[in-house]
């Protein structure tokens, strides 16, 4: 997201095809409703936009996706060694993007670079006193968020997991879900470490599980 080649994409509006270059993500989130397909939402910003109708008469035909979709599990979060069943989980990466304005270039911004991420995890479990207590006293602990279930043809588990060594509940609000008392619980990454010099970072991992 923050280095290497930038993205290029096209879109069609009222028969006019526009081409955008120098694009990078400005926001990224993953949402997982129990028993349903996991969805990923991106926001992308580009540094140039042109009418490319002369070179492109139509957008490419999108082939049918043949991969196995990831289905969210009900008990997908482990907080301080305890599994919590949640009907919905959201992972917002909290991207921070730096825009450098160009004064000599023809395309406006000369660089769009995501420089940091501060993930926030939100779950909606049934109300429990322990989560309320952890919020009030500022408890920190390990957090696992497992996104998905199923097995691919190659035998690999079709799952993505988010892990942080130390997280903290920053919000725990009650809500009524058709007679079921739930909590909307938000976790923030709290494990701070020094990469180089005085640069402080929060340690977390997202990978295939």
């Amino acid at each position: 997201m923050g280095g290497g080649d930038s993205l290029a994409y096209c879109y069609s509006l009222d028969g006019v095809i526009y081409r955008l270059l120098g694009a990078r993500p400005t926001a990224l989130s993953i949402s997982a409703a129990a028993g349903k397909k996991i969805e990923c939402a991106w926001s992308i910003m580009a540094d140039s936009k042109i009418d490319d109708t002369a070179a492109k008469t139509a957008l490419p035909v999108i082939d049918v996706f043949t991969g196995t979709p990831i289905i969210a599990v009900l008990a997908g979060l482990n907080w301080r060694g305890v599994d919590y069943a949640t009907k919905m989980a959201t992972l917002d990466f909290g991207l921070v993007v730096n825009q450098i304005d160009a004064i000599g270039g023809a395309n406006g911004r000369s660089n769009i670079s995501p420089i940091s991420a501060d993930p926030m995890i939100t779950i909606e479990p049934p109300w429990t006193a322990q989560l309320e207590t952890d919020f009030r006293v500022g408890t920190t602990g390990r957090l696992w968020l497992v996104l998905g279930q199923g097995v691919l043809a190659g035998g690999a588990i079709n799952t993505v997991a988010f892990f942080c060594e130390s997280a903290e509940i920053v919000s725990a609000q009650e809500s009524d879900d058709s007679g079921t008392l739930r909590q909307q619980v938000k976790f923030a990454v709290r494990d701070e470490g020094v990469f180089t010099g005085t640069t402080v970072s929060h340690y977390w991992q997202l990978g295939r599980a």
Side-chain angles (χ1 to χ4, degrees), residues 61-168:
V61 177
I62 300 177
D63 294 333
V64 177
F65 178 68
T66 58
T68 302
I70 300 178
I71 306 299
V73 295
L74 179 61
L77 184 126
N78 183 285
W79 163 245
R80 303 180 65 239
V82 179
D83 291 333
Y84 288 92
T86 174
K87 76 167 191 176
M88 184 71 181
T90 303
L91 171 58
D92 189 332
F93 287 86
L95 297 184
V96 177
V97 179
N98 183 37
Q99 303 176 34
I100 302 176
D101 294 331
I103 58 174
N107 295 327
R109 292 180 296 274
S110 61
N111 189 21
I112 303 169
S113 179
I115 56 176
S116 67
D118 192 8
M120 185 78 69
I121 302 93
T122 304
I123 62 172
E124 296 181 25
W127 188 91
T128 62
Q130 186 60 58
L131 290 174
E132 181 72 20
T133 300
D134 289 346
F135 166 60
R136 292 184 180 278
V137 302
T139 302
T140 59
R142 289 183 175 178
L143 182 145
W144 282 93
L145 177 62
V146 179
L147 301 170
Q149 64 181 355
V151 179
L152 295 177
I157 299 178
N158 194 16
T159 303
V160 173
F162 176 90
F163 171 78
C164 61
E165 184 67 28
S166 180
E168 180 183 4

Side-chain angles (χ1 to χ4, degrees), residues 22 35 42 50 58 76 112 114 120-121 127 143 164 174 185-186 194 206:
W42 293 83
I50 64 171
I112 303 169
M120 185 78 69
I121 302 93
W127 188 91
L143 182 145
C164 61
E174 296 85 0
V185 183
K186 294 185 178 182
V194 176
L206 176 72

Side-chain angles (χ1 to χ4, degrees), residues 30-73:
I30 300 174
S31 59
K36 297 183 179 180
K37 296 178 182 179
I38 293 176
E39 298 181 348
C40 181
W42 293 83
S43 293
I44 299 174
M45 179 183 292
D47 66 7
S48 68
K49 173 184 173 183
I50 64 171
D51 181 342
D52 204 28
T53 307
K56 298 179 178 63
T57 57
L59 296 177
V61 177
I62 300 177
D63 294 333
V64 177
F65 178 68
T66 58
T68 302
I70 300 178
I71 306 299
V73 295

